[in-house]
Amino acid sequence: MIALSTSNNQDITPFIERIPRPARTSHKGQNGRVLIIGGSELFHSAVLWSAEIASHLVDMVHFASTEQNNEVMTRLKTQFRNGIVVKRTDIDAYIQEDDVVLIGPGMVRDPNHSPAATPLCASLSEVLKIENEGIQTAALTRYILATYPDKKYVIDAGALQMMDPEWLLSLKQPAILTPHQGEFARTFGTHVEELDLKEKAQKAAEIAQKFNCVVLLKAVSDIVTNGTDTYIIEGGNAGLAKGGTGDILAGTVASLYAKSDAVAAAIVGSWILKQTSEALYNTSGYWYNNSEIIAHMPRILHGISTKSKV
């Protein structure tokens, strides 16, 4: 178990060096394409936060939500001009085109539905006919993972809570899971809130090893583990307790994963969010908001990238 502190930029250097910088000769698409599937009739801001931060970090962001939420997103195009809204009926084509799929921000769950009972639908159209939005979350997650096992995935929020972890075993590349402690308990049946940091890290590592994934367990100190190597990211402040910071983190990690490995993407994503919160504290205390985080994170990433290159 290795501790990494935001107070020491040298800690992040080995991982930031694993995040490729855009080449001078690169053209559109070569620096990452991300598909974000999320949102619901109840939640629309979550997936927008994920899309906003992703638009800073990759060449192309595709956004697919419910029909109602796509209408919201289209109206927001006067403010959000950095991505493309696509219909959920078209996500098969965009999954094949994009480097990473982030699924889950703003998607709802059905507490009465067992993920293990979710049928494997034969087509996307069959999934979208499911009227119960929580069960559709589960069915869509299963369909995508089973149909496109070669893709890179970041699984967050509603999709994570409605997922059977066994679905991960068919994937050819490790998915990154981004649970907070409550979601970790709901998804894996293991409560970690009352455990000390070492015990939490051990439980997260066991899950990562069992399901061949990378776990980014969000807590006061974040834990990133692939089951073999485990890292503790220390830093940040209480301003990150605000709703939506997890959606920003998921969008960041997905964007970094487009052209890097899963562990580096998870570590650097956690790091720059925490260091951003520290920078904003200097001017706003704990009273910064998600828009300020999104605006400031690229400066933090640029700063540590430049220092690591020297």
Side-chain angles (χ1 to χ4, degrees), residues 7 14 33 40 53 75 85 101 112 127 143 157 172 180 183 191 232 252-254 258 270 301-302 304 310:
S7 64
R33 295 172 178 262
S40 61
I53 189 59
R75 289 197 297 272
V85 179
V101 179
N112 299 314
V127 172
Y143 167 79
K172 303 298 188 291
H180 57 58
E183 290 170 336
H191 293 270
I232 309 299
T252 303
V253 170
S270 170
L301 180 58
H302 174 65
I304 60 176
V310 174

Side-chain angles (χ1 to χ4, degrees), residues 171-194:
L171 300 181
K172 303 298 188 291
Q173 302 186 74
I176 302 175
L177 313 183
T178 56
H180 57 58
Q181 295 178 93
E183 290 170 336
F184 189 89
R186 284 191 287 271
T187 304
F188 303 110
T190 301
H191 293 270
V192 295
E193 293 92 335
E194 303 302 322

Side-chain angles (χ1 to χ4, degrees), residues 51-287:
E52 285 281 6
I53 189 59
S55 72
H56 285 275
L57 305 176
V58 294
D59 287 351
M60 185 62 67
V61 178
H62 295 121
F63 168 90
S65 187
T66 62
E67 181 178 351
Q68 180 192 48
N69 213 32
N70 275 338
E71 291 174 0
V72 171
M73 189 65 145
T74 300
R75 289 197 297 272
L76 286 172
K77 292 292 262 186
T78 56
Q79 300 175 8
F80 178 78
R81 303 181 182 90
N82 304 305
I84 297 175
V85 179
V86 302
K87 295 180 179 179
R88 269 202 181 174
T89 53
D90 295 333
I91 62 176
D92 280 316
Y94 287 97
I95 290 173
Q96 296 178 64
E97 174 182 334
D98 292 338
D99 299 302
V100 176
V101 179
L102 165 59
I103 182 169
M107 296 175 76
V108 297
R109 64 187 182 95
D110 184 336
N112 299 314
H113 176 74
S114 170
T118 304
L120 177 56
C121 295
S123 66
L124 180 60
S125 60
E126 184 180 340
V127 172
L128 299 181
K129 289 177 183 177
I130 299 173
E131 295 184 0
N132 181 297
E133 204 168 5
I135 297 177
Q136 187 185 108
T137 296
L140 181 60
T141 303
R142 185 175 188 189
Y143 167 79
I144 289 173
L145 297 181
T147 307
Y148 303 100
D150 294 331
K151 302 302 293 188
K152 292 180 175 181
Y153 294 98
V154 176
I155 307 175
D156 183 54
L160 181 62
Q161 295 178 58
M162 294 303 295
M163 177 192 74
D164 184 339
E166 296 289 333
W167 302 344
L168 299 171
L169 297 177
S170 65
L171 300 181
K172 303 298 188 291
Q173 302 186 74
I176 302 175
L177 313 183
T178 56
H180 57 58
Q181 295 178 93
E183 290 170 336
F184 189 89
R186 284 191 287 271
T187 304
F188 303 110
T190 301
H191 293 270
V192 295
E193 293 92 335
E194 303 302 322
L195 301 181
D196 63 30
L197 184 58
K198 184 177 180 179
E199 291 173 315
K200 287 179 185 178
Q202 182 177 347
K203 295 296 183 183
E206 290 171 359
I207 291 298
Q209 187 171 63
K210 180 176 180 179
F211 296 109
N212 189 32
C213 62
V214 169
V215 174
L216 197 178
L217 178 58
K218 298 175 290 192
V220 174
S221 295
D222 288 349
I223 298 166
V224 174
T225 179
N226 61 2
T228 302
D229 301 311
T230 300
Y231 302 89
I232 309 299
I233 297 88
E234 299 172 341
N237 55 55
L240 291 177
K242 295 181 180 69
T245 57
D247 305 302
I248 295 172
L249 178 61
T252 303
V253 170
S255 300
L256 297 174
Y257 193 20
K259 295 298 177 181
S260 72
D261 63 274
V263 170
I267 289 174
V268 174
S270 170
W271 177 285
I272 62 175
L273 178 60
K274 287 179 177 294
Q275 200 167 77
T276 297
S277 74
E278 294 167 357
L280 290 172
Y281 179 84
N282 292 332
T283 57
S284 304
Y286 299 118
W287 300 283

Side-chain angles (χ1 to χ4, degrees), residues 8-18 304 307-308:
N8 183 2
N9 278 353
Q10 291 183 350
D11 285 354
I12 199 63
T13 298
F15 305 99
I16 199 68
E17 289 178 346
R18 286 154 59 177
I304 60 176
K307 290 175 183 176
S308 71

